Amino acid sequence: MKTFIKIALLSAAVFLSASFSTKTKPPFGIKTVVIDAGHGGKDPGCHGSEFKEKDIALAIALKLGAYIEKYCKDVKVVYTRKTDVFVELNERANIANKNKADLFICIHCNSACKRDKKTKKDICNDEVYGAETYVMGTNKLDANLSVAQRENAAILYEDDYKKKYEGFDPDSDEGFVFDNILQSVTINNSLSFAARVQKNFKEKAGRADKGVKQAGFLVLWKTSMPSVLIETGFLTNEHEHDYLGDEKGQDNMAAAIFRAFRQYKDDLEGRQVKYDDEIENMKPYVMAPKVKKDSTKTVESDKGNPEIKKNEPKKDSVTVKKEEPKKDTLSVVFKVQFLSSDKQIPLTDEKFKGIENVSEYKMFAQYKYCAGEFKEPSAATKLQDVLRSKGYKDAFVVAFKDGKRISYNDAIKMINE
């Protein structure tokens, strides 16, 4: 009987959803959009080596809002936060509902870390990268659930969270079925906007497209309008970490989301407009080598490599002749990382057959395997393309100095000095 009721309810939901498709022109269109910068205040979200999710999300949210206010003057922009403050998840939805928003855009950054039950430490995969956009749903894929659970963990910063969110169970299909009837009338529009976001990330921002997905996000649960949660990239991946931490990278992401918004708005309102402005003609931002504030070589090398010891003079001596470092210790090499494993693999293993100069290093409790060793990054890029053609789709270029992994951008800066 339960199954019959569920099927009947979902069938009704599908019927309602079809009657509210994006092709139906509404009488008033998009008047209000609510932009939600994830986390904030005492809740930092995830983080990389330098940047926090709450700061990047806020920067992109403010830039997105500025684009809408500049180019869509008929749209009211409401922010759930404009500063580094903590806003409860249910309050974010309340802000959208109270303002009768026509679209809710939630902005986040991603992380590829999992808690090891034995060691109680996070094990992170620095190879995972790409942008993805979520809509509310009951998809039980482990990857989708882990993202939702991480973002939903923000409620732990709230008082009386068990009472506030009583009945919310992202692992239960039956817990969602009634709420999904209400959500279903907006699901088509949510999916339509999400698809446009991903397309613009790929075509206009040059980001890797991880697709549109569904998961049980608390922040989307109680919104009564089309809603999406955008994971702009992985802060556990050094390339995306540096890109999202760069102001121009943030601007590129905000512009891509705005293009999706304008396309969605025009389609929903039945308009066909040709634009010729900076946003329509935007090109992917290619990040220049990152320049650190402190350009002193010895300080930078010590920060990145605590094992390197300075040749400091003794306090008693008048003059001390410093040892000149050998040229080899200053060399930077580029390799192509193509495989990661929880267990160590012998370099003579059959799976490395046909791959020249395989090497291994360990990071985040995982063994990483690289191929080649080049002075020029362009040579490593060529090998990267070869390895990808052989099936290693996630192969990417990494840099080493004195046998230790360093940031790719730092390596480029070093060889250009």
mmCIF file of all heavy atoms in Angstrom, residues 241-278:
data_model
loop_
_atom_site.group_PDB
_atom_site.id
_atom_site.type_symbol
_atom_site.label_atom_id
_atom_site.label_comp_id
_atom_site.label_asym_id
_atom_site.label_seq_id
_atom_site.Cartn_x
_atom_site.Cartn_y
_atom_site.Cartn_z
ATOM 1 N N HIS A 241 42.051 25.565 -6.251
ATOM 2 C CA HIS A 241 42.232 26.374 -5.044
ATOM 3 C C HIS A 241 42.803 27.744 -5.401
ATOM 4 O O HIS A 241 42.294 28.787 -4.974
ATOM 5 C CB HIS A 241 43.156 25.642 -4.071
ATOM 6 C CG HIS A 241 43.627 26.472 -2.920
ATOM 7 N ND1 HIS A 241 44.771 27.253 -2.987
ATOM 8 C CD2 HIS A 241 43.117 26.665 -1.677
ATOM 9 C CE1 HIS A 241 44.945 27.872 -1.835
ATOM 10 N NE2 HIS A 241 43.963 27.531 -1.018
ATOM 11 N N ASP A 242 43.851 27.749 -6.208
ATOM 12 C CA ASP A 242 44.483 29.017 -6.597
ATOM 13 C C ASP A 242 43.575 29.832 -7.523
ATOM 14 O O ASP A 242 43.510 31.057 -7.419
ATOM 15 C CB ASP A 242 45.818 28.744 -7.299
ATOM 16 C CG ASP A 242 46.872 28.195 -6.332
ATOM 17 O OD1 ASP A 242 46.635 28.248 -5.110
ATOM 18 O OD2 ASP A 242 47.921 27.716 -6.802
ATOM 19 N N TYR A 243 42.861 29.149 -8.408
ATOM 20 C CA TYR A 243 41.962 29.833 -9.352
ATOM 21 C C TYR A 243 40.818 30.516 -8.609
ATOM 22 O O TYR A 243 40.512 31.690 -8.843
ATOM 23 C CB TYR A 243 41.420 28.823 -10.357
ATOM 24 C CG TYR A 243 40.403 29.390 -11.329
ATOM 25 C CD1 TYR A 243 40.800 29.971 -12.527
ATOM 26 C CD2 TYR A 243 39.039 29.336 -11.041
ATOM 27 C CE1 TYR A 243 39.864 30.484 -13.418
ATOM 28 C CE2 TYR A 243 38.102 29.843 -11.924
ATOM 29 C CZ TYR A 243 38.519 30.421 -13.110
ATOM 30 O OH TYR A 243 37.586 30.937 -13.981
ATOM 31 N N LEU A 244 40.169 29.789 -7.698
ATOM 32 C CA LEU A 244 39.034 30.339 -6.965
ATOM 33 C C LEU A 244 39.461 31.377 -5.933
ATOM 34 O O LEU A 244 38.670 32.240 -5.544
ATOM 35 C CB LEU A 244 38.252 29.213 -6.274
ATOM 36 C CG LEU A 244 37.523 28.249 -7.215
ATOM 37 C CD1 LEU A 244 36.967 27.064 -6.435
ATOM 38 C CD2 LEU A 244 36.411 28.965 -7.961
ATOM 39 N N GLY A 245 40.708 31.299 -5.504
ATOM 40 C CA GLY A 245 41.215 32.291 -4.567
ATOM 41 C C GLY A 245 41.665 33.569 -5.252
ATOM 42 O O GLY A 245 41.912 34.587 -4.595
ATOM 43 N N ASP A 246 41.760 33.527 -6.571
ATOM 44 C CA ASP A 246 42.169 34.687 -7.363
ATOM 45 C C ASP A 246 40.940 35.523 -7.715
ATOM 46 O O ASP A 246 39.914 34.990 -8.137
ATOM 47 C CB ASP A 246 42.863 34.198 -8.641
ATOM 48 C CG ASP A 246 43.455 35.337 -9.449
ATOM 49 O OD1 ASP A 246 42.686 36.049 -10.111
ATOM 50 O OD2 ASP A 246 44.683 35.505 -9.432
ATOM 51 N N GLU A 247 41.025 36.835 -7.558
ATOM 52 C CA GLU A 247 39.874 37.701 -7.802
ATOM 53 C C GLU A 247 39.346 37.582 -9.229
ATOM 54 O O GLU A 247 38.138 37.594 -9.470
ATOM 55 C CB GLU A 247 40.225 39.164 -7.508
ATOM 56 C CG GLU A 247 39.021 40.094 -7.605
ATOM 57 C CD GLU A 247 39.338 41.530 -7.230
ATOM 58 O OE1 GLU A 247 40.489 41.797 -6.830
ATOM 59 O OE2 GLU A 247 38.428 42.370 -7.348
ATOM 60 N N LYS A 248 40.244 37.440 -10.202
ATOM 61 C CA LYS A 248 39.805 37.319 -11.591
ATOM 62 C C LYS A 248 39.125 35.975 -11.835
ATOM 63 O O LYS A 248 38.203 35.872 -12.642
ATOM 64 C CB LYS A 248 40.999 37.510 -12.530
ATOM 65 C CG LYS A 248 41.511 38.946 -12.561
ATOM 66 C CD LYS A 248 42.628 39.115 -13.582
ATOM 67 C CE LYS A 248 43.098 40.562 -13.629
ATOM 68 N NZ LYS A 248 44.222 40.743 -14.587
ATOM 69 N N GLY A 249 39.587 34.947 -11.144
ATOM 70 C CA GLY A 249 38.933 33.648 -11.240
ATOM 71 C C GLY A 249 37.527 33.723 -10.671
ATOM 72 O O GLY A 249 36.574 33.175 -11.242
ATOM 73 N N GLN A 250 37.379 34.403 -9.537
ATOM 74 C CA GLN A 250 36.069 34.592 -8.924
ATOM 75 C C GLN A 250 35.144 35.370 -9.864
ATOM 76 O O GLN A 250 33.965 35.043 -10.021
ATOM 77 C CB GLN A 250 36.214 35.342 -7.598
ATOM 78 C CG GLN A 250 36.984 34.584 -6.547
ATOM 79 C CD GLN A 250 37.492 35.475 -5.428
ATOM 80 O OE1 GLN A 250 37.197 36.682 -5.395
ATOM 81 N NE2 GLN A 250 38.251 34.904 -4.514
ATOM 82 N N ASP A 251 35.684 36.382 -10.504
ATOM 83 C CA ASP A 251 34.900 37.196 -11.432
ATOM 84 C C ASP A 251 34.455 36.374 -12.642
ATOM 85 O O ASP A 251 33.331 36.500 -13.111
ATOM 86 C CB ASP A 251 35.726 38.401 -11.892
ATOM 87 C CG ASP A 251 34.898 39.400 -12.676
ATOM 88 O OD1 ASP A 251 34.047 40.066 -12.061
ATOM 89 O OD2 ASP A 251 35.081 39.506 -13.901
ATOM 90 N N ASN A 252 35.348 35.511 -13.126
ATOM 91 C CA ASN A 252 35.021 34.648 -14.258
ATOM 92 C C ASN A 252 33.874 33.699 -13.908
ATOM 93 O O ASN A 252 32.974 33.463 -14.719
ATOM 94 C CB ASN A 252 36.261 33.858 -14.662
ATOM 95 C CG ASN A 252 36.368 33.634 -16.157
ATOM 96 O OD1 ASN A 252 36.878 32.623 -16.600
ATOM 97 N ND2 ASN A 252 35.879 34.562 -16.959
ATOM 98 N N MET A 253 33.894 33.157 -12.688
ATOM 99 C CA MET A 253 32.832 32.251 -12.250
ATOM 100 C C MET A 253 31.511 32.992 -12.098
ATOM 101 O O MET A 253 30.456 32.519 -12.521
ATOM 102 C CB MET A 253 33.211 31.585 -10.919
ATOM 103 C CG MET A 253 34.441 30.696 -10.998
ATOM 104 S SD MET A 253 34.257 29.311 -12.145
ATOM 105 C CE MET A 253 33.277 28.187 -11.165
ATOM 106 N N ALA A 254 31.568 34.183 -11.484
ATOM 107 C CA ALA A 254 30.358 34.985 -11.302
ATOM 108 C C ALA A 254 29.750 35.374 -12.646
ATOM 109 O O ALA A 254 28.524 35.335 -12.823
ATOM 110 C CB ALA A 254 30.685 36.234 -10.487
ATOM 111 N N ALA A 255 30.594 35.731 -13.618
ATOM 112 C CA ALA A 255 30.118 36.116 -14.944
ATOM 113 C C ALA A 255 29.459 34.936 -15.650
ATOM 114 O O ALA A 255 28.445 35.098 -16.343
ATOM 115 C CB ALA A 255 31.287 36.662 -15.780
ATOM 116 N N ALA A 256 30.015 33.747 -15.476
ATOM 117 C CA ALA A 256 29.440 32.547 -16.088
ATOM 118 C C ALA A 256 28.058 32.253 -15.501
ATOM 119 O O ALA A 256 27.116 31.910 -16.229
ATOM 120 C CB ALA A 256 30.367 31.360 -15.894
ATOM 121 N N ILE A 257 27.927 32.388 -14.179
ATOM 122 C CA ILE A 257 26.620 32.160 -13.540
ATOM 123 C C ILE A 257 25.628 33.220 -14.009
ATOM 124 O O ILE A 257 24.453 32.933 -14.255
ATOM 125 C CB ILE A 257 26.745 32.189 -12.001
ATOM 126 C CG1 ILE A 257 27.698 31.092 -11.513
ATOM 127 C CG2 ILE A 257 25.374 32.006 -11.344
ATOM 128 C CD1 ILE A 257 28.062 31.193 -10.039
ATOM 129 N N PHE A 258 26.094 34.465 -14.159
ATOM 130 C CA PHE A 258 25.207 35.525 -14.625
ATOM 131 C C PHE A 258 24.702 35.252 -16.046
ATOM 132 O O PHE A 258 23.529 35.470 -16.352
ATOM 133 C CB PHE A 258 25.894 36.888 -14.596
ATOM 134 C CG PHE A 258 25.082 37.950 -15.286
ATOM 135 C CD1 PHE A 258 23.939 38.459 -14.695
ATOM 136 C CD2 PHE A 258 25.433 38.396 -16.562
ATOM 137 C CE1 PHE A 258 23.152 39.399 -15.347
ATOM 138 C CE2 PHE A 258 24.652 39.341 -17.214
ATOM 139 C CZ PHE A 258 23.512 39.847 -16.609
ATOM 140 N N ARG A 259 25.591 34.782 -16.927
ATOM 141 C CA ARG A 259 25.162 34.462 -18.286
ATOM 142 C C ARG A 259 24.051 33.413 -18.257
ATOM 143 O O ARG A 259 23.075 33.488 -18.995
ATOM 144 C CB ARG A 259 26.330 33.939 -19.130
ATOM 145 C CG ARG A 259 27.326 34.997 -19.528
ATOM 146 C CD ARG A 259 28.351 34.439 -20.495
ATOM 147 N NE ARG A 259 27.860 34.486 -21.870
ATOM 148 C CZ ARG A 259 27.454 33.436 -22.570
ATOM 149 N NH1 ARG A 259 27.434 32.248 -22.026
ATOM 150 N NH2 ARG A 259 27.054 33.567 -23.816
ATOM 151 N N ALA A 260 24.225 32.407 -17.381
ATOM 152 C CA ALA A 260 23.198 31.369 -17.235
ATOM 153 C C ALA A 260 21.891 31.987 -16.744
ATOM 154 O O ALA A 260 20.805 31.634 -17.214
ATOM 155 C CB ALA A 260 23.680 30.292 -16.265
ATOM 156 N N PHE A 261 21.997 32.911 -15.792
ATOM 157 C CA PHE A 261 20.810 33.583 -15.249
ATOM 158 C C PHE A 261 20.086 34.370 -16.336
ATOM 159 O O PHE A 261 18.862 34.289 -16.463
ATOM 160 C CB PHE A 261 21.218 34.523 -14.106
ATOM 161 C CG PHE A 261 20.107 35.433 -13.647
ATOM 162 C CD1 PHE A 261 19.112 34.950 -12.804
ATOM 163 C CD2 PHE A 261 20.047 36.743 -14.072
ATOM 164 C CE1 PHE A 261 18.074 35.777 -12.388
ATOM 165 C CE2 PHE A 261 19.016 37.584 -13.660
ATOM 166 C CZ PHE A 261 18.024 37.098 -12.818
ATOM 167 N N ARG A 262 20.837 35.115 -17.135
ATOM 168 C CA ARG A 262 20.210 35.933 -18.174
ATOM 169 C C ARG A 262 19.547 35.055 -19.242
ATOM 170 O O ARG A 262 18.445 35.358 -19.711
ATOM 171 C CB ARG A 262 21.252 36.863 -18.802
ATOM 172 C CG ARG A 262 20.659 37.864 -19.776
ATOM 173 C CD ARG A 262 21.567 39.059 -19.992
ATOM 174 N NE ARG A 262 22.826 38.719 -20.638
ATOM 175 C CZ ARG A 262 23.775 39.627 -20.908
ATOM 176 N NH1 ARG A 262 23.598 40.898 -20.573
ATOM 177 N NH2 ARG A 262 24.905 39.264 -21.480
ATOM 178 N N GLN A 263 20.203 33.962 -19.598
ATOM 179 C CA GLN A 263 19.624 33.040 -20.572
ATOM 180 C C GLN A 263 18.340 32.397 -20.026
ATOM 181 O O GLN A 263 17.339 32.275 -20.739
ATOM 182 C CB GLN A 263 20.644 31.946 -20.924
ATOM 183 C CG GLN A 263 21.845 32.453 -21.702
ATOM 184 C CD GLN A 263 23.003 31.465 -21.692
ATOM 185 O OE1 GLN A 263 22.926 30.403 -21.083
ATOM 186 N NE2 GLN A 263 24.082 31.817 -22.369
ATOM 187 N N TYR A 264 18.403 31.994 -18.763
ATOM 188 C CA TYR A 264 17.242 31.382 -18.106
ATOM 189 C C TYR A 264 16.089 32.377 -18.030
ATOM 190 O O TYR A 264 14.934 32.042 -18.323
ATOM 191 C CB TYR A 264 17.663 30.919 -16.705
ATOM 192 C CG TYR A 264 16.537 30.516 -15.793
ATOM 193 C CD1 TYR A 264 15.920 29.271 -15.916
ATOM 194 C CD2 TYR A 264 16.105 31.375 -14.782
ATOM 195 C CE1 TYR A 264 14.888 28.896 -15.060
ATOM 196 C CE2 TYR A 264 15.081 31.009 -13.926
ATOM 197 C CZ TYR A 264 14.470 29.767 -14.066
ATOM 198 O OH TYR A 264 13.461 29.408 -13.222
ATOM 199 N N LYS A 265 16.381 33.607 -17.644
ATOM 200 C CA LYS A 265 15.361 34.660 -17.520
ATOM 201 C C LYS A 265 14.704 34.948 -18.876
ATOM 202 O O LYS A 265 13.477 35.032 -18.981
ATOM 203 C CB LYS A 265 16.001 35.936 -16.968
ATOM 204 C CG LYS A 265 15.045 37.106 -16.753
ATOM 205 C CD LYS A 265 15.802 38.277 -16.138
ATOM 206 C CE LYS A 265 14.873 39.432 -15.791
ATOM 207 N NZ LYS A 265 14.307 40.076 -16.985
ATOM 208 N N ASP A 266 15.519 35.081 -19.908
ATOM 209 C CA ASP A 266 14.991 35.365 -21.239
ATOM 210 C C ASP A 266 14.089 34.235 -21.732
ATOM 211 O O ASP A 266 13.030 34.470 -22.310
ATOM 212 C CB ASP A 266 16.135 35.592 -22.231
ATOM 213 C CG ASP A 266 16.842 36.923 -22.026
ATOM 214 O OD1 ASP A 266 16.302 37.759 -21.265
ATOM 215 O OD2 ASP A 266 17.922 37.113 -22.603
ATOM 216 N N ASP A 267 14.520 32.989 -21.499
ATOM 217 C CA ASP A 267 13.741 31.844 -21.945
ATOM 218 C C ASP A 267 12.427 31.751 -21.177
ATOM 219 O O ASP A 267 11.363 31.478 -21.751
ATOM 220 C CB ASP A 267 14.553 30.563 -21.768
ATOM 221 C CG ASP A 267 13.835 29.344 -22.327
ATOM 222 O OD1 ASP A 267 13.512 29.360 -23.527
ATOM 223 O OD2 ASP A 267 13.588 28.403 -21.566
ATOM 224 N N LEU A 268 12.499 31.976 -19.875
ATOM 225 C CA LEU A 268 11.312 31.892 -19.026
ATOM 226 C C LEU A 268 10.292 32.963 -19.395
ATOM 227 O O LEU A 268 9.082 32.739 -19.344
ATOM 228 C CB LEU A 268 11.716 32.029 -17.556
ATOM 229 C CG LEU A 268 10.689 31.593 -16.506
ATOM 230 C CD1 LEU A 268 10.435 30.103 -16.601
ATOM 231 C CD2 LEU A 268 11.164 31.963 -15.115
ATOM 232 N N GLU A 269 10.788 34.123 -19.764
ATOM 233 C CA GLU A 269 9.912 35.246 -20.103
ATOM 234 C C GLU A 269 9.567 35.297 -21.591
ATOM 235 O O GLU A 269 8.896 36.217 -22.060
ATOM 236 C CB GLU A 269 10.566 36.563 -19.664
ATOM 237 C CG GLU A 269 10.735 36.640 -18.146
ATOM 238 C CD GLU A 269 11.494 37.883 -17.691
ATOM 239 O OE1 GLU A 269 11.983 38.635 -18.570
ATOM 240 O OE2 GLU A 269 11.575 38.105 -16.474
ATOM 241 N N GLY A 270 10.037 34.276 -22.337
ATOM 242 C CA GLY A 270 9.706 34.189 -23.746
ATOM 243 C C GLY A 270 10.350 35.258 -24.599
ATOM 244 O O GLY A 270 9.793 35.685 -25.614
ATOM 245 N N ARG A 271 11.557 35.712 -24.211
ATOM 246 C CA ARG A 271 12.235 36.765 -24.957
ATOM 247 C C ARG A 271 13.386 36.178 -25.768
ATOM 248 O O ARG A 271 13.982 35.187 -25.384
ATOM 249 C CB ARG A 271 12.806 37.834 -24.007
ATOM 250 C CG ARG A 271 11.761 38.445 -23.093
ATOM 251 C CD ARG A 271 12.260 39.724 -22.439
ATOM 252 N NE ARG A 271 13.576 39.580 -21.849
ATOM 253 C CZ ARG A 271 14.348 40.628 -21.500
ATOM 254 N NH1 ARG A 271 13.930 41.856 -21.729
ATOM 255 N NH2 ARG A 271 15.510 40.428 -20.947
ATOM 256 N N GLN A 272 13.682 36.826 -26.877
ATOM 257 C CA GLN A 272 14.840 36.462 -27.688
ATOM 258 C C GLN A 272 15.675 37.728 -27.881
ATOM 259 O O GLN A 272 15.348 38.588 -28.706
ATOM 260 C CB GLN A 272 14.409 35.898 -29.041
ATOM 261 C CG GLN A 272 13.750 34.528 -28.938
ATOM 262 C CD GLN A 272 13.428 33.944 -30.292
ATOM 263 O OE1 GLN A 272 13.388 34.650 -31.294
ATOM 264 N NE2 GLN A 272 13.194 32.636 -30.333
ATOM 265 N N VAL A 273 16.733 37.835 -27.098
ATOM 266 C CA VAL A 273 17.556 39.048 -27.095
ATOM 267 C C VAL A 273 18.984 38.700 -27.467
ATOM 268 O O VAL A 273 19.543 37.718 -26.977
ATOM 269 C CB VAL A 273 17.533 39.730 -25.703
ATOM 270 C CG1 VAL A 273 18.351 41.011 -25.729
ATOM 271 C CG2 VAL A 273 16.107 40.003 -25.257
ATOM 272 N N LYS A 274 19.581 39.497 -28.317
ATOM 273 C CA LYS A 274 20.995 39.340 -28.665
ATOM 274 C C LYS A 274 21.785 40.411 -27.927
ATOM 275 O O LYS A 274 21.516 41.604 -28.061
ATOM 276 C CB LYS A 274 21.201 39.466 -30.169
ATOM 277 C CG LYS A 274 20.651 38.283 -30.957
ATOM 278 C CD LYS A 274 21.011 38.392 -32.434
ATOM 279 C CE LYS A 274 20.498 37.170 -33.189
ATOM 280 N NZ LYS A 274 20.842 37.242 -34.633
ATOM 281 N N TYR A 275 22.747 39.964 -27.147
ATOM 282 C CA TYR A 275 23.552 40.886 -26.347
ATOM 283 C C TYR A 275 24.943 41.054 -26.961
ATOM 284 O O TYR A 275 25.469 40.137 -27.586
ATOM 285 C CB TYR A 275 23.690 40.375 -24.908
ATOM 286 C CG TYR A 275 22.372 40.218 -24.187
ATOM 287 C CD1 TYR A 275 21.746 38.981 -24.116
ATOM 288 C CD2 TYR A 275 21.761 41.309 -23.585
ATOM 289 C CE1 TYR A 275 20.535 38.822 -23.457
ATOM 290 C CE2 TYR A 275 20.545 41.173 -22.911
ATOM 291 C CZ TYR A 275 19.942 39.911 -22.858
ATOM 292 O OH TYR A 275 18.750 39.770 -22.210
ATOM 293 N N ASP A 276 25.507 42.191 -26.746
ATOM 294 C CA ASP A 276 26.877 42.458 -27.182
ATOM 295 C C ASP A 276 27.567 43.274 -26.092
ATOM 296 O O ASP A 276 27.674 44.486 -26.160
ATOM 297 C CB ASP A 276 26.899 43.210 -28.513
ATOM 298 C CG ASP A 276 28.325 43.405 -29.038
ATOM 299 O OD1 ASP A 276 29.215 42.665 -28.580
ATOM 300 O OD2 ASP A 276 28.538 44.298 -29.866
ATOM 301 N N ASP A 277 27.987 42.571 -25.045
ATOM 302 C CA ASP A 277 28.629 43.256 -23.921
ATOM 303 C C ASP A 277 29.758 42.394 -23.377
ATOM 304 O O ASP A 277 30.053 41.321 -23.906
ATOM 305 C CB ASP A 277 27.606 43.586 -22.825
ATOM 306 C CG ASP A 277 26.801 42.361 -22.384
ATOM 307 O OD1 ASP A 277 27.397 41.265 -22.294
ATOM 308 O OD2 ASP A 277 25.596 42.492 -22.143
ATOM 309 N N GLU A 278 30.397 42.857 -22.330
ATOM 310 C CA GLU A 278 31.570 42.167 -21.778
ATOM 311 C C GLU A 278 31.247 40.762 -21.297
ATOM 312 O O GLU A 278 32.087 39.858 -21.359
ATOM 313 C CB GLU A 278 32.144 42.992 -20.615
ATOM 314 C CG GLU A 278 31.151 43.201 -19.466
ATOM 315 C CD GLU A 278 31.778 43.928 -18.281
ATOM 316 O OE1 GLU A 278 32.937 43.630 -17.966
ATOM 317 O OE2 GLU A 278 31.094 44.790 -17.696
#
